[in-house]
């Protein structure tokens, strides 16, 4: 379920991806062949890959035109002179921040950083150009940093005040 939650900001959508993934797994289980001696690890990898591709399909179906965005309206501008907040954040805060990104940015960020896809593979899967993939990753990283810094400033303000 954690894989599904990374690709959407709605729990209902993640549940739909999860259910669709297992439907595919049960339908195609007879095609499964372990790629290496560790059959359990190979099986987990096979399931993970199906979940990722199902999430991509879901994202593609529900966000047809959202893989490009106007740069001026999508970037958050904040001063960069505050203390580095990225050292004091938890896994849950990072996931919550990722879920605040637009579907296009979130998908590319997950595919590249978490799942290890190349920009060429991402472009092919999402039917976008390699340049768009690189641009979306760059913008996603910028926004993610700003979201996390903003959240940290709010937490500090609550603790102080």
């Amino acid at each position: 379920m954690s894989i599904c939650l990374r690709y959407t900001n709605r729990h209902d959508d993640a549940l739909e991806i999860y259910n669709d993934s297992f439907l595919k797994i049960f339908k195609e289980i007879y095609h499964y062949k372990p790629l290496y001696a560790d059959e359990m690890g190979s099986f987990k990898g096979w399931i993970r890959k199906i979940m990722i591709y199902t999430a991509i399909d879901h994202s593609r179906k529900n966000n047809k035109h959202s893989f490009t965005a106007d740069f001026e309206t999508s970037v958050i501008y904040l001063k960069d002179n505050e203390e580095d907040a990225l050292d004091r954040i938890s896994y849950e805060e990072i996931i919550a921040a990722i879920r605040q990104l637009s579907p296009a940015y979130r998908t590319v960020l997950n595919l590249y950083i978490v799942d290890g896809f190349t920009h060429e593979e991402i472009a092919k899967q999402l039917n976008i150009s390699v340049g768009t993939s690189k641009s979306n990753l760059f913008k996603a990283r910028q926004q993610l940093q700003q979201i996390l810094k903003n959240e940290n400033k709010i937490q500090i303000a609550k603790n102080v005040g």
Side-chain angles (χ1 to χ4, degrees), residues 32-46:
Y32 169 72
K33 291 182 181 117
L35 295 177
Y36 44 91
D38 178 14
E39 289 186 25
M40 184 55 89
S42 183
F43 186 65
K44 285 180 182 178
W46 183 72

Side-chain angles (χ1 to χ4, degrees), residues 6-7 48 52 86 91 94-95 98 101 104-119 121-122 126 133-145 148:
R6 282 197 330 253
Y7 284 91
R48 184 175 188 271
I52 291 168
L86 299 178
Y91 171 80
I94 293 171
I95 295 301
I98 289 172
L101 296 173
Y105 293 172
R106 181 176 52 244
T107 302
V108 171
L109 182 90
N110 278 315
L111 288 172
Y112 187 82
I113 293 177
V114 180
D115 298 319
F117 282 60
T118 65
H119 285 294
E121 292 169 327
I122 294 169
L126 301 178
S133 175
K134 290 178 180 180
S135 173
N136 283 357
L137 178 63
F138 175 78
K139 292 173 188 175
R141 283 179 169 167
Q142 281 186 323
Q143 281 190 4
L144 188 58
Q145 287 174 352
L148 291 170

Side-chain angles (χ1 to χ4, degrees), residues 49-152:
K49 195 170 196 173
I50 289 174
M51 292 211 171
I52 291 168
Y53 285 118
T54 303
I56 291 170
D57 290 344
H58 182 271
S59 180
R60 193 180 307 144
K61 179 178 75 175
N62 293 321
N63 306 306
K64 287 184 180 182
H65 302 291
S66 66
F67 284 101
T68 57
D70 182 19
F71 186 71
E72 296 300 320
T73 61
S74 63
V75 176
I76 302 168
Y77 295 98
L78 295 174
K79 292 181 187 175
D80 197 21
N81 60 356
E82 64 266 348
E83 180 182 331
D84 187 12
L86 299 178
D87 294 331
R88 294 183 273 150
I89 57 176
S90 69
Y91 171 80
E92 290 79 18
E93 289 171 316
I94 293 171
I95 295 301
I98 289 172
R99 293 178 83 190
Q100 291 180 40
L101 296 173
S102 72
Y105 293 172
R106 181 176 52 244
T107 302
V108 171
L109 182 90
N110 278 315
L111 288 172
Y112 187 82
I113 293 177
V114 180
D115 298 319
F117 282 60
T118 65
H119 285 294
E120 290 76 17
E121 292 169 327
I122 294 169
K124 184 178 178 184
Q125 284 298 318
L126 301 178
N127 295 323
I128 59 176
S129 71
V130 173
T132 300
S133 175
K134 290 178 180 180
S135 173
N136 283 357
L137 178 63
F138 175 78
K139 292 173 188 175
R141 283 179 169 167
Q142 281 186 323
Q143 281 190 4
L144 188 58
Q145 287 174 352
Q146 294 306 322
I147 289 167
L148 291 170
K149 285 180 181 179
N150 246 4
E151 292 294 320
N152 189 50

